[in-house]
Amino acid sequence: MHIIAEIASLVQYLKCIKEEPEALRPDRCPHCGKLGVWRHGCYPRKADRTNAGESSLNPIWIHRFFCSECHRTCSALPECIPPRRWYCWDVQQSAFL
């Protein structure tokens, strides 16, 4: 998993995908450290939990990358989408408190 720390909102992430998608590519494979991972498609994720209907930003497309050295894939997630979790960060924080 590659977390992109500079992207703190879904709108900012969608803008990055549209204007500079190469900024999402990790410099190295997070598993073995090899330079130059390949783009390996993307998958949809329902990350917008605040808007409904036509104002919803869903689906959010998460880009995937493949390493030719270790043959593993990784996803590039913006900071605003928690990995392996259904609920956003603020909802999780409220539940913990």
Side-chain angles (χ1 to χ4, degrees):
M1 190 80 46
H2 172 64
I3 304 293
I4 306 161
E6 302 86 31
I7 301 179
S9 73
L10 294 178
V11 173
Q12 187 181 5
Y13 178 66
L14 293 173
K15 183 180 177 185
C16 182
I17 288 174
K18 185 177 181 181
E19 295 177 1
E20 51 180 328
E22 283 301 309
L24 302 175
R25 183 187 307 268
D27 295 333
R28 302 175 171 273
C29 172
H31 307 291
C32 71
K34 183 185 184 304
L35 293 171
V37 293
W38 302 345
R39 182 136 187 268
H40 191 61
C42 51
Y43 64 90
R45 182 158 171 188
K46 292 182 180 179
D48 187 2
R49 303 276 177 221
T50 56
N51 299 312
E54 291 184 19
S55 61
S56 174
L57 299 174
N58 289 328
I60 302 292
W61 292 95
I62 306 298
H63 290 241
R64 294 177 51 80
F65 300 92
F66 175 78
C67 176
S68 62
E69 182 71 25
C70 67
H71 303 284
R72 294 177 72 180
T73 60
C74 69
S75 300
L77 279 181
E79 179 182 328
C80 59
I81 299 177
R84 299 179 199 90
R85 304 263 187 318
W86 180 264
Y87 296 102
C88 294
W89 292 114
D90 57 344
V91 173
Q92 291 181 54
Q93 183 179 9
S94 296
F96 287 135
L97 294 175

